Amino acid sequence: MKIFAHTRWDLAPVLAAVAHLAFDVYLIVGFESRPLWLSAILGCLYAISISWNINSISHNFIHTPYFKPRWMNYGFSLLESVVIGFSQTYYHWVHMRHHSGNSDRPNEKGETIDMLSIYRYGRDGQPENVWSYTFLSFFRDSLGDIHKAIARNRPFDAAWGRFELYFFLGLAAVALIYDWKAVLFFVPFYYIGNCLSSLNGYYEHLNGDPDEPIAWGVSSHKPFYNWLWFGNGYHAEHHYRPRTHWTKLQALHEQIKEEQEKNGTHVISTCHALGFMAKENRQSELSHES
């Protein structure tokens, strides 16, 4: 029986997700045996791992589910929900809205299709400030509204998403009973991890062009970044052809790079999470000011 839907290379993100789960478990069960300074370092790594998983393993799974058997994809969705601390099914719906709007600007009613649009809370057609987007995005959207939206057309998936969320909360309760100090210690890092994911998303679209499909996203072509984040750097390419498997994004870039240059696709020289350090973004700010 064929297990993988696209390629055996998907074994890499699957094993990475399992390793991430093992790391999360170790954070709790090993807390009492570690000095606080070491747990603080691991907490920082935990925060980074949340953003890494959301924007690579979890993200790619949305567009190209890893497994051929449907039940295996539901099982992996549950695993991912535990690892990232949020329903993968709910994230799937929010992310597909993101691709429907492609970081669109508000309409005449001040609304955006894309719930994650960097223009959603901006002013005068400009992107929101990076720091308010980074630290406030976590609190903005209602899980109840997301659930109802999914339930209109896919009641089973809505129920599964709720189960994923409750399953994670149940495990969190077990962890609290096992070592409440450890759980409370890592809660701030969980929040920071989600903030880092928002920061990553912000620079995936800052200086993108919501009106030009080939320039919807912003790319980083750094080899190590794309190796570690399973092709996430090719974000303009991904928005242009979202069903392209992560292993083929570099090839897609080579095919369309001349067209990208012609249409002003923005490329940065850092990973997205460090976009505030990218000289290309600073140059763009100076050109707008002038």
Side-chain angles (χ1 to χ4, degrees):
M1 181 183 69
K2 185 178 179 182
I3 294 178
F4 291 104
H6 300 276
T7 170
R8 292 179 182 177
W9 280 108
D10 280 333
L11 180 62
V14 169
L15 290 179
V18 173
H20 192 182
L21 176 62
F23 173 67
D24 289 354
V25 172
Y26 171 68
L27 290 177
I28 303 299
V29 300
F31 184 74
E32 291 298 331
S33 63
R34 293 190 304 263
L36 281 180
W37 65 265
L38 180 55
S39 284
I41 293 174
L42 292 177
C44 293
L45 184 59
Y46 170 58
I48 294 170
S49 73
I50 291 174
S51 177
W52 162 73
N53 193 315
I54 290 173
N55 292 285
S56 59
I57 301 170
S58 180
H59 171 249
N60 290 336
F61 179 64
I62 289 172
H63 295 280
T64 53
Y66 299 142
F67 301 104
K68 194 170 182 64
R70 194 176 182 186
W71 68 268
M72 293 185 72
N73 284 318
Y74 277 110
F76 189 78
S77 180
L78 180 61
L79 183 150
E80 275 293 283
S81 301
V82 172
V83 171
I84 65 176
F86 182 77
S87 167
Q88 173 72 18
T89 301
Y90 286 3
Y91 173 43
H92 185 129
W93 184 84
V94 171
H95 189 73
M96 295 313 291
R97 280 283 297 265
H98 171 59
H99 276 271
S100 295
N102 293 289
S103 204
D104 54 327
R105 294 184 177 91
N107 59 22
E108 61 278 0
K109 296 181 180 179
E111 300 170 344
T112 60
I113 298 171
D114 179 6
M115 298 168 67
L116 304 176
S117 175
I118 62 176
Y119 298 95
R120 186 181 180 191
Y121 292 95
R123 295 181 179 179
D124 302 320
Q126 296 301 311
E128 180 182 2
N129 177 274
V130 59
W131 302 117
S132 61
Y133 183 90
T134 296
F135 292 108
L136 297 180
S137 290
F138 180 78
F139 303 103
R140 281 174 168 164
D141 297 311
S142 165
L143 294 182
D145 290 344
I146 293 172
H147 179 86
K148 291 176 183 177
I150 299 172
R152 290 191 194 105
N153 299 311
R154 294 180 294 157
F156 176 80
D157 284 348
W160 185 257
R162 179 169 286 173
F163 172 71
E164 289 174 338
L165 189 60
Y166 287 166
F167 189 80
F168 164 70
L169 292 175
L171 289 180
V174 171
L176 273 168
I177 294 171
Y178 179 82
D179 191 339
W180 63 271
K181 292 180 181 178
V183 174
L184 294 183
F185 182 87
F186 288 112
V187 164
F189 293 102
Y190 169 76
Y191 167 67
I192 292 170
N194 282 275
C195 291
L196 290 176
S197 180
S198 297
L199 178 66
N200 193 90
Y202 187 88
Y203 286 107
E204 286 174 342
H205 290 278
L206 183 68
N207 295 313
D209 186 348
D211 301 316
E212 179 57 58
I214 204 168
W216 275 334
V218 172
S219 286
S220 170
H221 298 141
K222 294 298 182 181
F224 179 73
Y225 171 44
N226 280 290
W227 173 80
L228 187 62
W229 290 62
F230 299 108
N232 186 67
Y234 292 98
H235 206 71
E237 294 80 1
H238 167 68
H239 269 267
Y240 190 52
R241 293 288 184 268
R243 294 185 180 180
T244 303
H245 194 269
W246 62 272
T247 58
K248 298 179 180 179
L249 287 170
Q250 183 177 3
L252 174 62
H253 166 65
E254 294 300 325
Q255 294 171 14
I256 66 173
K257 62 181 180 181
E258 292 184 4
E259 188 178 356
Q260 286 181 315
E261 292 173 2
K262 185 187 303 182
N263 288 277
T265 301
H266 193 63
V267 179
I268 58 176
S269 55
T270 67
C271 63
H272 289 110
L274 298 178
F276 55 89
M277 298 176 61
K279 62 181 184 296
E280 297 81 12
N281 288 337
R282 294 198 298 270
Q283 290 170 353
S284 178
E285 290 174 0
L286 291 173
S287 64
H288 288 316
E289 291 175 0
S290 61

